[in-house]
Amino acid sequence: MHPVYEYIVSVAILFLVLSYSFYAVNSVVVNQLTLVKEEQLKDIANRLFDKILYTPGYPIDWGSNIHVNESNLIDFGVHASTGDLQKLDINKLNRLIYEYEGIINPLYIPPETVGRLLGIYEDGHWIYGFRLLIKSALNVTIQPLDSDSEVPVKYKVKVIDYVGKDAANALVKGILCAAYIINEGGRDVLKYDYNIARNLTRLDGTTVLKFEKPEVPHQALDAAYALLVTANYYGLQSQGIWTRGQVVNLINIGDYLIVNLSSFWPPSARHVQLTAIEFTTDLDIILNPIINETNGESGKIINKGRFKYRVYKLANPITEDVIFIGLLVIATGQAYLVFASRPRTPIIVDYRSHSFPVAGLKTETIYGLFRISDNTYYAQLTVWRMSE
C-alpha cells in the first residue's frame, strides 16, 4: 500500500479509537453523576421527612399559639411536643390548611415560610419542590339502607385502607345518637340518647350495622340524628360520620366554632342551639356549652344576607381525643346535627410548594404511619429538584 494511504488509514483508526474511548468515559461519568444526584435527592427527602414529621418546630406550641405567625415562626415541624415518636399535633396540621368550606384560615402558614425554614426556598426561588399529603389510614363510608324512614336504623359501612384495598375482617363499631331539646324551667336544654352496634367486615370490606332506635321523649321540642362509626383494622383506626342533611358548614379552629351559611339555599334563618356535642375516638359523648359573646338571640340566629356566619367560643377546651364536634341547628322547622371533623377527613393536609413537578423530573417519595390520639394516619412526602 502506498505510504500516504497507510498514513490516512492509521489516522482514521486512531480517531475512531479515541472517539469511542471518549464516549465510553463520558457515559460512565454521566451515569455516575446521575446516580449521585439521585442518591442526594433521596437523602434530602429523608432528611426533610424526619424534620417535618418527627420534630415539633419552635415555639413548640406554634400550632395552638395564635400569636405565632409566618413572621415569627422560628422552626418548622408538626410533631406533638409530648407523646410518642409517631404522634402528630392536630393544631399544627390545621394551620397548613388554607381554606375551610369557603372561609380563609386566618392562622394559615404559607409554604414559602416553611420552605425558608427548611432551607429549600431562598431569594424567592424554590431549590427543591415538595408535597406533604396526610390522610386517614382507613377511609370509612356510611350508607343508610332504610333512608326513606324517618330515622334510619340500618346502615352499610365500607372500609378501605390507605392504599385503596378493601379492609376485610375489620372490626366496625357504631353509635347512633339522637340529640334533642327539652324545655326545663323556661330554658332550652340539649340532651341525647344513643344505641351501639358492632360487626366485622366481609372480604369486600363491607358490613351492615343494625340499631335500635334511640329514645326521644314525647315532650322534646326538636330531635336530630347522627351515626358515628369507628373501624379498627389490624391496629389501624379511623372514623366516619353520617347525618341527614347539611344546612350549614361548621368549622373548628382551636377552641372556636365557625358556622358558615353562605352556600346554602333556601335563604332562611338558622337557629343554633348553644351547646356543642362532641364525639371521641372511644365513642364517648361530651356536651360542651358555647359562650354567647353577642348576647341574646342574635348569637343563636344566622340569617342569609347580612349575617352569613357566626363565631362561637367553647366554654371548655376540646380534648385531644375529640374527633367530631357538632351543633344542633334548626332550619325550616326541622332539626339537624352538623359536625366539624378534627382533623379534617379523609384528606387532612395536602400542602405543597407549588404545582406538581413537570413530566420527566425525578421525584423521591417517603411515607410512614402516624397517630393523632388513638387514630392512625398515612403521611407521604414527595420531593423533587427544581432543575437538573
Side-chain angles (χ1 to χ4, degrees):
M1 181 181 293
H2 195 281
V4 174
Y5 294 139
E6 290 180 354
Y7 176 76
I8 293 174
V9 171
S10 300
V11 170
I13 292 173
L14 180 62
F15 177 76
L16 290 173
V17 171
L18 291 174
S19 298
Y20 177 78
S21 300
F22 176 78
Y23 172 77
V25 171
N26 188 60
S27 297
V28 171
V29 171
V30 169
N31 288 336
Q32 288 178 340
L33 288 176
T34 302
L35 182 61
V36 169
K37 284 186 176 181
E38 290 179 356
E39 290 298 321
Q40 289 176 342
L41 183 60
K42 184 176 183 178
D43 183 57
I44 288 171
N46 274 298
R47 295 206 317 258
L48 289 174
F49 186 85
D50 292 346
K51 181 68 183 71
I52 294 171
L53 293 158
Y54 288 106
T55 67
Y58 191 83
I60 59 174
D61 66 341
W62 69 266
S64 58
N65 187 345
I66 62 173
H67 301 292
V68 177
N69 53 48
E70 59 184 285
S71 64
N72 58 13
L73 180 62
I74 298 173
D75 191 27
F76 179 77
V78 298
H79 191 268
S81 57
T82 60
D84 61 46
L85 191 61
Q86 305 300 120
K87 187 177 177 182
L88 302 181
D89 189 319
I90 184 175
N91 292 312
K92 294 171 184 177
L93 295 176
N94 284 342
R95 297 194 68 170
L96 306 184
I97 300 172
Y98 175 70
E99 182 179 352
Y100 289 89
E101 305 291 350
I103 295 179
I104 304 300
N105 184 359
L107 302 178
Y108 179 69
I109 301 295
E112 289 78 11
T113 299
V114 171
R116 174 178 55 81
L117 295 174
L118 294 175
I120 60 175
Y121 181 81
E122 295 179 356
D123 301 325
H125 299 285
W126 289 98
I127 304 171
Y128 292 92
F130 78 95
R131 180 194 184 195
L132 177 64
L133 176 67
I134 302 178
K135 61 182 181 179
S136 299
L138 301 175
N139 187 12
V140 180
T141 55
I142 306 168
Q143 176 189 355
L145 297 179
D146 50 351
S147 56
D148 294 333
S149 62
E150 181 183 357
V151 182
V153 293
K154 187 177 180 181
Y155 298 84
K156 178 182 178 181
V157 180
K158 171 83 172 180
V159 183
I160 301 174
D161 68 13
Y162 58 88
V163 295
K165 293 184 178 180
D166 296 333
N169 207 39
L171 177 60
V172 175
K173 180 180 177 182
I175 177 170
L176 180 61
C177 177
Y180 53 89
I181 299 173
I182 292 289
N183 188 280
E184 295 182 348
R187 186 171 62 95
D188 289 345
V189 179
L190 181 68
K191 295 191 178 283
Y192 65 88
D193 187 48
Y194 65 89
N195 283 308
I196 293 175
R198 299 175 179 84
N199 213 340
L200 293 173
T201 57
R202 299 184 288 265
L203 289 176
D204 62 355
T206 66
T207 191
V208 174
L209 296 180
K210 299 178 182 178
F211 297 87
E212 296 291 330
K213 181 180 175 181
E215 295 184 5
V216 177
H218 63 87
Q219 68 268 31
L221 302 180
D222 300 282
Y225 298 84
L227 171 62
L228 173 68
V229 168
T230 182
N232 195 297
Y233 180 59
Y234 297 103
L236 305 180
Q237 179 173 291
S238 297
Q239 275 84 26
I241 198 165
W242 175 90
T243 59
R244 186 193 291 277
Q246 184 82 356
V247 292
V248 296
N249 281 327
L250 184 62
I251 304 152
N252 167 236
I253 300 178
D255 290 331
Y256 291 87
L257 290 174
I258 302 176
V259 185
N260 180 18
L261 184 63
S262 59
S263 59
F264 291 92
W265 189 264
S268 60
R270 267 68 165 168
H271 188 280
V272 179
Q273 173 64 27
L274 296 183
T275 301
I277 183 167
E278 302 172 355
F279 287 137
T280 72
T281 55
D282 292 328
L283 301 187
D284 293 327
I285 299 176
I286 302 170
L287 296 182
N288 193 349
I290 294 175
I291 298 174
N292 182 1
E293 298 178 343
T294 53
N295 298 321
E297 288 295 303
S298 62
K300 297 182 181 180
I301 299 176
I302 309 167
N303 294 300
K304 184 75 173 180
R306 180 183 175 190
F307 303 107
K308 293 184 178 179
Y309 65 90
R310 278 285 187 272
V311 179
Y312 300 102
K313 189 176 189 305
L314 296 165
N316 304 305
I318 303 175
T319 57
E320 182 188 63
D321 58 347
V322 171
I323 184 68
F324 291 103
I325 179 167
L327 293 174
L328 182 69
V329 180
I330 301 172
T332 61
Q334 187 171 352
Y336 298 87
L337 278 172
V338 294
F339 285 89
S341 176
R342 301 183 67 254
R344 187 171 63 175
T345 57
I347 302 296
I348 300 173
V349 167
D350 192 352
Y351 188 71
R352 66 186 72 180
S353 54
H354 51 77
S355 59
F356 290 105
V358 297
L361 201 62
K362 171 67 178 175
T363 64
E364 192 69 45
T365 299
I366 313 295
Y367 57 87
L369 293 173
F370 295 85
R371 290 191 314 101
I372 299 174
S373 186
D374 294 327
N375 285 350
T376 318
Y377 299 88
Y378 170 82
Q380 174 182 293
L381 178 69
T382 301
V383 179
W384 58 92
R385 187 179 287 103
M386 293 306 301
S387 60
E388 294 291 351

